[in-house]
Amino acid sequence: QKEVEQNSGPLSVPEGAIASLNCTYSDRGSQSFFWYRQYSGKSPELIMSIYSNGDKEDGRFTAQLNKASQYVSLLIRDSQPSDSATYLCAVPHAGGTSYGKLTFGQGTILTVHP
Amino acid sequence: GAVVSQHPSWVICKSGTSVKIECRSLDFQATTMFWYRQFPKQSLMLMATSNEGSKATYEQGVEKDKFLINHASLTLSTLTVTSAHPEDSSFYICSARPHADGELFFGEGSRLTVL
């Protein structure tokens, strides 16, 4: 079982809709979870981090964490074409606490069409 | 946010040659930097942790003699791909963080193509 799993997509949503991206992880000891956005040919950029069960909102983005189900999701409200990218879920390596050593999921390709 | 810069952005080399990639933290000091690799249509994989003033630590399966890492100052880490082969063609990305428990910032990445 992969440590971090995501649906590779592609996920296609119309402009203005809610995009829902999902991620499951295998290590129950994981305490920190990150969502990165990666545009084609570019390096990742952090868009959300979440550490506690429940929801965390930042602008149009909401991260949801359920540690009991080992599940973390990212919702993007009012999706824009500029949100079209690959979204990567990441956790610290092997349940560690170093935020520099991350294990990434394979990423979900999101396409927002006008 | 903090700035991490890589050079070169892309490089093409012949098989058997060595290539050096530089990673600099421009506005903060980094005792630790992290080197990732991303093959086409795959996710990022951690290769090694670069430690200022000491040896790098490599992830399982990464050859330390092939991927030489030097972290000679608090703002510069270098990755040298020695005797590069076509299978080493990849997107190499370094990262660092201003604070031990803070956000990880990525460099722009260096795309290596080995002919």
Side-chain angles (χ1 to χ4, degrees):
Chain A
Q1 181 186 6
K2 291 182 181 178
E3 291 186 50
V4 181
E5 293 205 51
Q6 300 178 249
N7 287 325
S8 60
L11 173 66
S12 182
V13 300
E15 185 174 356
I18 296 175
S20 178
L21 306 161
N22 305 315
C23 172
T24 58
Y25 58 94
S26 60
D27 187 346
R28 281 197 173 276
S30 296
Q31 297 295 320
S32 311
F33 307 88
F34 307 94
W35 282 100
Y36 284 84
R37 177 175 63 198
Q38 186 176 27
Y39 291 113
S40 182
K42 304 295 185 182
S43 61
E45 56 178 324
L46 181 68
I47 52 174
M48 288 287 285
S49 58
I50 187 166
Y51 309 100
S52 304
N53 276 330
D55 296 359
K56 179 182 178 182
E57 187 175 318
D58 184 0
R60 295 186 295 112
F61 300 97
T62 299
Q64 299 174 319
L65 174 61
N66 183 326
K67 291 184 179 179
S69 301
Q70 295 176 245
Y71 175 93
V72 57
S73 65
L74 179 70
L75 301 178
I76 306 175
R77 290 182 300 281
D78 188 23
S79 295
Q80 301 297 310
S82 59
D83 294 327
S84 298
T86 298
Y87 289 80
L88 301 165
C89 174
V91 301
H93 241 35
T97 57
S98 169
Y99 299 162
K101 302 175 71 171
L102 298 176
T103 297
F104 286 85
Q106 67 269 39
T108 298
I109 299 171
L110 172 66
T111 301
V112 181
H113 53 87
Chain B
V3 180
V4 177
S5 180
Q6 277 183 249
H7 178 81
S9 300
W10 57 270
V11 57
I12 301 173
C13 69
K14 293 182 179 180
S15 186
T17 61
S18 294
V19 174
K20 180 186 284 187
I21 300 170
E22 293 186 347
C23 177
R24 294 180 186 273
S25 55
L26 298 186
D27 52 359
F28 65 98
Q29 294 182 333
T31 56
T32 306
M33 292 184 176
F34 305 90
W35 287 95
Y36 287 82
R37 178 170 57 183
Q38 186 176 35
F39 291 109
K41 299 193 184 302
Q42 295 187 26
S43 193
L44 279 78
M45 295 288 289
L46 179 66
M47 296 177 64
T49 302
S50 174
N51 304 298
E52 188 268 336
S54 64
K55 292 182 179 180
T57 54
Y58 292 80
E59 296 301 307
Q60 190 174 9
V62 178
E63 299 175 58
K64 60 177 174 46
D65 294 330
K66 181 168 184 62
F67 299 99
L68 301 180
I69 292 173
N70 183 275
H71 194 150
S73 79
L74 289 171
T75 60
L76 174 64
S77 174
T78 60
L79 169 68
T80 301
V81 183
T82 63
S83 187
H85 288 93
E87 57 265 31
D88 298 322
S89 298
S90 188
F91 192 42
Y92 292 86
I93 315 172
C94 73
S95 61
R97 49 202 173 143
H99 310 291
D101 58 352
E103 179 180 344
L104 188 65
F105 291 89
F106 286 89
E108 309 95 322
S110 299
R111 191 165 301 281
L112 170 64
T113 301
V114 184
L115 303 177

